[in-house]
Amino acid sequence: MDGLANSLDDVSAGSSPEFPDRLSLMEVRLQAQEDDITLLKSSLADALRRLRVYDQQIPLLKQHLIAVNPSAARALNHSYCSDGFPSLRKLSTSSAPDCSRNFHTPSQSTGLADVEEGDVSCPNGGGLSNHQGPSEELGTPLSIQRPRPPPSLDAATQTDLLPATTASSWPGPEKVPLSQTRAVLSLSLEDALLLDTGVSGEPLERSQPGPLEEGGNGEAWARLVEEPIVPSCFRGRLHDLGPRPGQDEQTEPKVEAQLPNAAHQGHSPPKANGTPPTPKKEGPAAASSPTTSCHRSGALSPVHEDGKKPLFRRNSSSDKLVKEGGEKSKQKLARKAASSASLLTRSPSLESRAKDLISSGGSSGSRRGTYSQGQSIKMFIRGRPITMYIPSNIQNYEELRMEPPTEKLELDWVYGYRGRDCRANLYLLPTGEVIYFLACVVVLHHINNHTQRHYLKHTDCVRCLAVHPDRVRVASGQTAGVDKDGKPLQPFVHIWDSNTLATLQQIGLGSFERGVGSVAFSHADSGAFLCVVDDSNEHMLSVWDCAKGTKQTEVKSTNEAVFAVEFSPTDSTSIISCGKSHVYFWTLSGGSLSKKQGIFGKYKKPKFIQCFVFSGTGDVLTGDSEGNILTWGKSAADVKTLGKGAKAASSRMDETYQIMRQTRAHEGSVFTLCVLQSGGLLSGGGKDRRVVRWSVDLAPERETEIPEQYGAVRTIAEVDGEELLVGTTRNAILRGTFSDGFVPIVQGHVDELWGLATHPSQNMFLTSGHDRRVCLWNGEEHSLEWITTLEESGLCADFCPSGRVVTVGLNTGRWVVLDVETREVVSDYTDGNEQLSVMRYSPDGNFLAVGSHDNFIYIYTVGDNSRRYTRFGKCTGHSSFITHLDWSKDSKFIMSNSGDYEILYWDVAGGCKLLRNRFDSKDREWATYTCVLGFHVMGVWLEGSDGTDINALCRSHNERTVAVADDFCKVHLFQYPCPKLKAPSHRYSGHGSHVTNVCFTHNDSHLISMGGKDTSILQWRVVGGPGGGGGGTWTLDRSDSASTNSISSLEPGP
């Protein structure tokens, strides 16, 4: 229907545009039907008012007509019911117990029609009942049983049946047969006068006896035709009466519908072809039935009867009275129409549908209305319209200008380290800074001053790192990644200055595929060359001139994974690479590379060669997946002692690289080897998590074990003679000695992050993710306060307003309440069996809202210092999973978004009711703003967004800015509000995966952002602001306090 088409713009459909959710569609239909009912009620009320006005005038008109023409008294006393039956009184409800009139509601009507003989329905089969005895009420053997209508409350629409009478009931010899008084559903006072008397008061000539007078056989009944309620009394005319059905010569009864406007004007409507209606006469029966017709035009109406001259009603004082009454009724109707118009204008959609109904006559195919400018605006996501209502304080939406905010972001701190899948990525610089990477950021962390600097020129995740022999220049390589359209970006290597963070050279743009896996500087020639191995299927190995940035040579390496590559410290033409089931010795000669494969001979060939170093004696030491340290040396080929895999190669070579010694070092893999300045060796184990110190001749000297919570040893860097730095597989960097043990200086998550919450009064924030870790961070000290591990993954979190407890939602529908001081679980609840996506306390702390993937929002009351929770209600109405929600400032209402781009509003204080009229919420003030869909954040969406491009957003507490986390590794900073599409913003890089969440700290001094797969947590410092220069197009009144800021205080700037 029309209402359904219009409502689909306001309420989003189900999981897809083609197959909407059934529940959502039913709700949309219900809303449309409610709007239609409201419209019909308004129209019906107007019609009833008009009928009441005319009904009130009838007694007065009768008095005046009798005073002017006394002979009219007899006709007036002979009343007519709405179906044309003459009677002296109305039939009581007890007088016709077997009959009920067939009544149709106005909504079922199609037009005004005359009623003719032979069309009366009866419950007992539709015939005329011939009783053997006299009627109890009428005293006649012949009674007409007709269906009785439901009683009406209004006298103007009274539908009680008038009793049927026989020929003996008609007054005097001039009684009118029943067949000729069957006129229309509603007879006016003029009809009553003209049917029985002329102008002179003489009775009209009696026509031929009708069927009922002749004792018909019960087969002739008049058909009731549906009549719409129209704002006037209809004037009818008598039609020709043909033979009854079943007779020899049958004629189809003729029913002519009168249009409302024709009835209102007081004359018969034209036919469909535009010609006036004419009586239809067929055969002798038609000729024998006289025709009585009434044509009225104005105050004087001619009446034709059987060819006689027309009779005219004289003008009299009653005409003046009728005219004055009509004028008064018009004035009353004008006021009533105005009240109906005001009812329709309350809802633009209802008003538009009313216009459509008027213009199309209620056609089911009428088009829906569009909202007028200044009330709402539509945005489209994946072709689906989403209606945004414009707040009342915005007068000229089109004149609003969007500009970037005066605030900006600067990267303050990076929490975490990438050790779970990268090697050789931890080095100590002469400045006392340890260099490592995470996501797209290369971090320079001063271990004594506890400060950080960041190199931010990479466009995707950094995968490898190398320090130049001068220990100033750094080479870092990245993965290819994809842009926002899914097209692959080209990977490259940057050579940059660690002191100034300036990029010196960009190498290999357009030459590498998928990404850069390993890089290494040459040492013998002071770092003139850079060796690069990419992540293509062939793992291309290339050598580059660092000063010129040009490629010297390139060769296919292997189809297996490559873990490391290094130049020989004494020979720049010698390169070694290792990886899965191989170790290759490369020789650069004449601009080309040739390789020799390491021969395992009698030793078991390991599945992986994890790492290698050059010893002080020039030997090559490798660590493998069997837990052994292998010593490799160059020797002449000996076919007798070689393994079968090397016999063919030895026939073409004079010398080979063979295993000279095997040393058992660890249980499980040897992940890293580090040569000490003293000549000794350090090894780090995987499974046993041990760090072992070896002498020059590989004799074990000391060892220590890394605590289990930090994972296995990934890489080792020497600080001084005793102190070491250890990077672990659980993304931690430890600092310590063999004597004192190791403590973490950098920690992070090890799997995808989603849950984020900031403390309401301190510079602290909490994170959770798929690694089941819950971490509380101190943003001021840049440290980890505590960490706890849950049984399930934490996906969302929120602090209570007091900051005493924090609630974490898990991926199984379970949620726990943790004490911030003791990290203990104080409460544990479960809602449904699907993952929870949002937790949100009300501003007053009395309620907790839990958004779930089962499409419900669960509401709890909070007590006992936020330690006791009681189910208050459940918000039911979304057709997809809940993504975001916010509380109003008065803690009574909730705004929520879902996975199918719905925006719904809920009255929590009123019983968790869905507010179907979203227009009423356009000026409501929200304590937080994290919903990604809404008028005030509409401008954050890029053109062509698919609905999942924005994962989270957060409005600052001072309501000046809004931060956005998108799917393209970017953090955006917009001004707030930003209600126009394509709003400009400040864009910041740093994450190497989709940004899952953002949140401002309690005083808006910092912004916290989290990456997904890159497991990174970035803390941004907010700089600038109102005094920092620049200008926005919105001004906010902050004369009182931040708590007074609201939508109502926003005004367009100049």
Side-chain angles (χ1 to χ4, degrees), residues 111-116 183-186 223-228 239 255-258:
L112 177 65
D114 296 332
V115 180
E116 298 194 290
V184 292
L185 292 180
S186 178
R223 180 164 50 102
L224 293 177
V225 181
E226 296 176 345
E227 176 190 13
H239 288 274
V255 179
E256 295 184 3
Q258 286 186 315

Side-chain angles (χ1 to χ4, degrees), residues 324-335:
E324 292 177 354
E327 294 296 334
K328 293 181 180 180
S329 64
K330 288 182 180 178
Q331 295 177 1
K332 292 182 179 180
L333 291 176
R335 291 193 295 269

